[in-house]
Every structure is written in structure tokens, then in C-alpha cells.
Amino acid sequence: MTTDRIPVMIPWLGEEEARAASEAVLSGWVAQGPRVAAFERAFAERVGAGHGIAVSSCTTALHLSLVALGLGPGDEVVVPSLSFIATANAVRYVGAEPVFADVELATGNLTPATVDAVRTPRTKAVLAVHQGGVPADVHDLRASCADWDLPLVEDAACAIGSTVGGKPVGHGALLAAWSFHPRKLVTTGEGGMITTDDTEWAARLRRLREHGMNVSAAERHASNGPVLERYLETGFNYRMTDIQAAVGLVQLGKLDAMIARRRELASRYDLLLRDVPGLTPVRDPAHGQSNFQSYWVLLDEDFPVGRDDLLAALAAAGVSARRGIMAAHLEPAYADHPRVPLPVTERITRDSLILPLFHTMTEVQQDRVVAALREQARR
């Protein structure tokens, strides 16, 4: 076994982020403040949205988005089971019921047909995911949701920098939720963002993340006189810190370079794997481009080894691959949750794995990954 292990992901962090965080600490303003506001503006501009609302995670961004829509007990929200479990959990947070829809094999994303297959009179919203950075066809989804008179929320946790029809994911979204977890391209350690074009929703979401206060801490600090805040509704403590936002601003400035490098590495994977039998790599859909937050491969059903055995063999070769996207309906938390058959979801979650991909990855490292895959394909 080699000791020179290749990780599945390394955040691109350096001296510039360290200085930005240090400056925030030394400024004396470390909670939500002016750097958060600057990060919100820069992020919203990047994705082509009217407003950005920084929060503590993508999970809290999803939760607040569903609160803004007024969803609650008795309501159903169509979601993909093929997603990190937070997507479905956020629906439960507001007391509504997640209804699992299947996905298309090529992208792992919802389509109007898969949504329509599980839609009922109780359906009050659709929550679509841009899975692993592969953009969902939101043009078709938005048109169908408009016909059904249903709001569409976009879980864009992995999709910063991905595009649909030449526009950034998030452009024109009713509500989109984003993640800054270390496995995402732009990271603040933890953190999230909501983007929307609706000014009234943006104002309410900012209140909700800060206990429902009608005046933010930053506004109170800027006032020359005493400010007696009021709490207009039951809110939450979902704030981002200025330290995180300072790092996020630096990361956002690196985004174009990150995407270019990841797409370059993904293209090289495509080239190196094209003659390896039994593997189908993820690719750009016809309607857009991926940021390749994840590069996954789907094993043919006659591949010589199963996915879990392949992961073990790669680990023995010093390659830290990961299982593909999880399926929430197969987890104990949803064991008794009613659902329709989800054959494509179960195929993807059973037979896919995520390969190492990070900004500083070398050709030598990538060659090692491919060599380990070739060895197993020859068994």
C-alpha cells in the first residue's frame, strides 16, 4: 500500500484567505457585519441574482427558503432522493412531507416527467438539485412548475459557476440555496447563501436569519443613538460571521481559475478513461456546463467488481475515492417513509463513485487514479 495518498478533494486556500481572516479578527468586527454584506453583494452579482442573504449553511438556506414560501404541515414538496440528506430534511423542518421523485440517469437530476409522476393535489413546491455541479434543466422545470402553479426552489449547493443556457446557475431562480462547505469550490469553512430577485423576500429572510429582528446588529452599531429593536416573528440564529465572509470574498475571486482547472482535469479524465470498459463518466448536459464539483463515474452492471469492492481496491492503491451521491430513501431516517419505486436513483447510488479532483491535482496523480481503475477493469 502506498503512503502517498491522493485525496478526493483539497480546498484551494492560502495566504490571501489567511490575511483576510486575520484582518477581520483585528478589525474588532467578527460577527455578521460589513464583510458579510460585501460578500452577499459580490455573490449575488456573480450568479446574476438581485439579492444574496448569507446564512450559516446550505441546510439553513433551504430551511429559510421553505419558511419564506409558507410551507407547513399537510403540504408536500417534491424532492430527489438522490441528494445529500439535508435536501429532504429541510422539508421536514417546516413540518411538510418530502415526496421522492426519480432522476434521469445521465445527470442525476429531476426532470418535469419525474416530478409529474409523483405530483399530487397536496404538492405545494418542487425542490430541485443541481447534482454534483451538473446543472438541472431549470428552463424546462421552471416552465412546468409555472404550468402547475408551483414554486421551484433550487438546491445549488454544489453548482457555483455552473451554467444553464449560457447563464449562471441561480440566474432567474425564485430561490436558490448555496453551500460553502470545504468540498465546494468556494468555501468559508461552513456557511451558505440564499439568492433571490424578490426584494420583499430578501428583507424577510434577513430578519429570519437574525431571530426575526426588525433592525440588524450592523444597523444598530451604525446608529448614533439608541435603537430599540423589535422581533416581528419567530426567527432563527442562522448568521454568517465576518471572518467567514472575508474568506469567501477571496475565494470568489478565484472562482474562474478553479472552474477552468477543474474542467481541464475533467476533460483529461474523459480522455484517459474513454477506452476503459464498463465506465460511464459524468459529462456536461446539452443544456449547460458543469463546474465539476464532483467527477463521478457510473459502473456498468457487468463491471468486473462491485462499487464497494472498487472503492476498497482504490483505497489500497492510495486513492481516496468516495461512493456516489447518496439516496435519502435508503437511509434509516427515511426507512418508513412512503415512496414510489426509484430505479434510476437506486442504480446511480449503488453503482457510482466520485474520483479525486482538486485544483492542485497533478497529471501524475490523475494517471495513478486511472491506472488503479484500469487494473480493476481488467479483472
Side-chain angles (χ1 to χ4, degrees):
M1 177 183 294
T2 180
T3 58
D4 183 18
R5 181 164 296 278
I6 301 171
V8 71
M9 169 63 176
I10 302 174
W12 187 18
L13 295 166
E15 288 295 326
E16 194 175 356
E17 286 87 352
R19 286 195 300 271
S22 176
E23 288 168 3
V25 171
L26 294 174
S27 75
W29 195 299
V30 295
Q32 180 179 285
R35 288 171 178 81
V36 169
F39 186 38
E40 290 174 332
R41 291 191 296 269
F43 192 90
E45 181 178 357
R46 174 68 201 217
V47 304
H51 305 278
I53 303 93
V55 290
S56 55
S57 70
C58 185
T59 306
T60 58
L62 290 169
H63 182 196
L64 290 188
S65 296
L66 301 181
V67 171
L69 291 176
L71 300 177
D75 296 334
E76 293 179 349
V77 179
V78 176
V79 302
S81 171
L82 191 78
S83 182
F84 185 58
I85 202 165
T87 305
N89 285 351
V91 178
R92 283 183 164 179
Y93 293 167
V94 296
E97 286 294 315
V99 175
F100 294 127
D102 215 351
V103 295
E104 64 177 359
L105 187 64
T107 67
N109 289 324
L110 295 181
T111 69
T114 64
V115 172
D116 198 30
V118 297
R119 189 171 57 91
T120 76
R122 292 175 57 198
T123 304
K124 301 302 179 185
V126 176
L127 176 47
V129 180
H130 299 279
Q131 196 52 259
V134 179
D137 190 348
V138 290
H139 292 160
D140 284 353
L141 282 169
R142 289 172 187 172
S144 295
C145 285
D147 290 342
W148 300 325
D149 195 25
L150 293 175
L152 175 67
V153 178
E154 298 178 32
D155 182 339
C158 300
I160 179 62
S162 299
T163 63
V164 179
K167 299 287 188 182
V169 165
H171 183 273
L174 185 71
L175 291 158
W178 309 82
S179 173
F180 305 127
H181 182 272
R183 282 197 61 188
K184 307 307 187 286
L185 272 68
V186 171
T187 183
T188 60
E190 285 285 0
M193 187 80 69
I194 308 166
T195 55
T196 182
D197 290 334
D198 191 294
T199 300
E200 291 185 5
W201 275 357
R204 185 178 177 220
L205 288 164
R206 290 193 175 98
R207 290 195 304 268
L208 284 170
R209 73 175 172 189
E210 198 166 3
H211 303 285
M213 282 193 291
N214 66 332
V215 180
S216 70
E219 290 169 329
R220 295 200 310 273
H221 182 77
S223 175
N224 292 323
V227 176
L228 302 178
E229 75 276 8
R230 300 182 66 201
Y231 298 83
L232 305 183
E233 59 182 313
T234 301
F236 308 88
N237 184 4
Y238 286 172
R239 291 170 290 195
M240 176 182 281
T241 70
D242 257 28
I243 301 170
Q244 292 170 293
V247 172
L249 284 164
V250 176
Q251 287 273 286
L252 204 56
K254 294 180 173 181
L255 181 58
D256 287 334
M258 292 183 199
I259 294 169
R261 178 58 177 156
R262 296 180 82 87
R263 289 188 59 80
E264 179 184 1
L265 290 165
S267 294
R268 191 167 186 271
Y269 264 138
D270 289 346
L271 181 65
L272 295 172
L273 294 172
R274 65 182 178 180
D275 63 342
V276 179
L279 297 179
T280 302
V282 63
R283 293 192 170 93
D284 285 329
H287 56 263
Q289 287 190 336
S290 175
N291 63 5
F292 286 102
Q293 185 270 339
S294 291
Y295 186 95
W296 76 78
V297 294
L298 184 68
L299 306 182
D300 289 355
E301 293 179 339
D302 60 353
F303 195 79
V305 297
R307 193 276 312 279
D308 292 353
D309 288 340
L310 179 56
L311 286 173
L314 291 174
V319 175
S320 296
R322 294 287 185 273
R323 70 170 183 170
I325 312 302
M326 67 176 290
H329 77 277
L330 298 178
E331 296 299 318
Y334 288 90
D336 298 323
H337 195 74
R339 60 176 176 82
V340 301
L342 302 169
V344 178
T345 294
E346 293 185 3
R347 166 80 202 288
I348 294 174
T349 200
R350 181 187 67 238
D351 295 332
S352 64
L353 67 156
I354 296 170
L355 301 183
L357 186 67
F358 46 92
H359 183 80
T360 55
M361 189 178 200
T362 66
E363 291 188 359
V364 171
Q365 289 174 317
Q366 198 170 29
D367 290 344
R368 276 182 51 198
V369 175
V370 173
L373 284 169
R374 284 183 182 278
E375 182 177 350
Q376 297 305 309
R378 288 195 296 264
R379 287 182 56 178

